[in-house]
Amino acid sequence: MILRFSQRIGSGNRGVIADNDPIEQEKTMKFNALLTKAVIFHNALDSAEIFRQLLEERWEIAPEDLAHISPYLTGHINRFGEYSTHELGIRPEAYDPKLDVDFTPLREQDLTTAGLGQAA
């Protein structure tokens, strides 16, 4: 999944690096990896903000539901479109990483599935 995501996000000819220079190939690969990670991070921040808004509106969010959310979203990406740069000078507010959801049931389920939650 990450490979297809990276190919969808990255620049270049669908992952084919046409340059024969190893230094340029490495630059392209590192750029694509950085770009992919930045999009994943941005998607995670956007998702967390949506979850916070839903929690403020008194929606109940189960940890099992969050376990099915993927940061590998590409539908909102316009690779070859026009982009606004007027917001580059705006300093963002500090990000609060806390999401008020109890993940204990998922952790316990993972331990039980792995055989670690059972007494010997």
Side-chain angles (χ1 to χ4, degrees):
M1 177 178 269
I2 186 80
L3 179 60
R4 282 185 289 164
F5 180 76
S6 181
Q7 288 173 340
R8 171 75 175 102
I9 299 297
S11 65
N13 187 14
R14 294 187 180 172
V16 175
I17 301 173
D19 200 323
N20 287 331
D21 182 1
I23 293 173
E24 292 302 315
Q25 291 174 349
E26 185 176 3
K27 283 183 193 177
T28 300
M29 290 180 353
K30 287 184 177 184
F31 172 76
N32 284 343
L34 177 64
L35 186 59
T36 299
K37 291 173 185 176
V39 171
I40 290 170
F41 182 66
H42 189 274
N43 288 343
L45 291 178
D46 284 350
S47 296
E49 184 58 32
I50 291 168
F51 299 139
R52 278 195 193 88
Q53 290 173 4
L54 291 172
L55 289 170
E56 285 176 9
E57 295 174 9
R58 308 256 188 228
W59 284 72
E60 187 174 325
I61 299 176
E64 295 83 11
D65 296 334
L66 293 178
H68 297 286
I69 302 298
S70 172
Y72 301 119
L73 306 172
T74 59
H76 62 293
I77 296 172
N78 184 0
R79 290 178 47 195
F80 305 110
E82 295 181 18
Y83 296 93
S84 169
T85 57
H86 75 278
E87 298 162 339
L88 292 177
I90 300 172
R91 186 177 186 140
E93 295 179 20
Y95 178 73
D96 178 13
K98 181 161 178 26
L99 186 59
D100 194 22
V101 176
D102 181 17
F103 288 99
T104 307
L106 284 180
R107 286 189 201 109
E108 291 170 354
Q109 179 182 359
D110 287 344
L111 290 175
T112 305
T113 303
L116 301 173
Q118 301 169 353

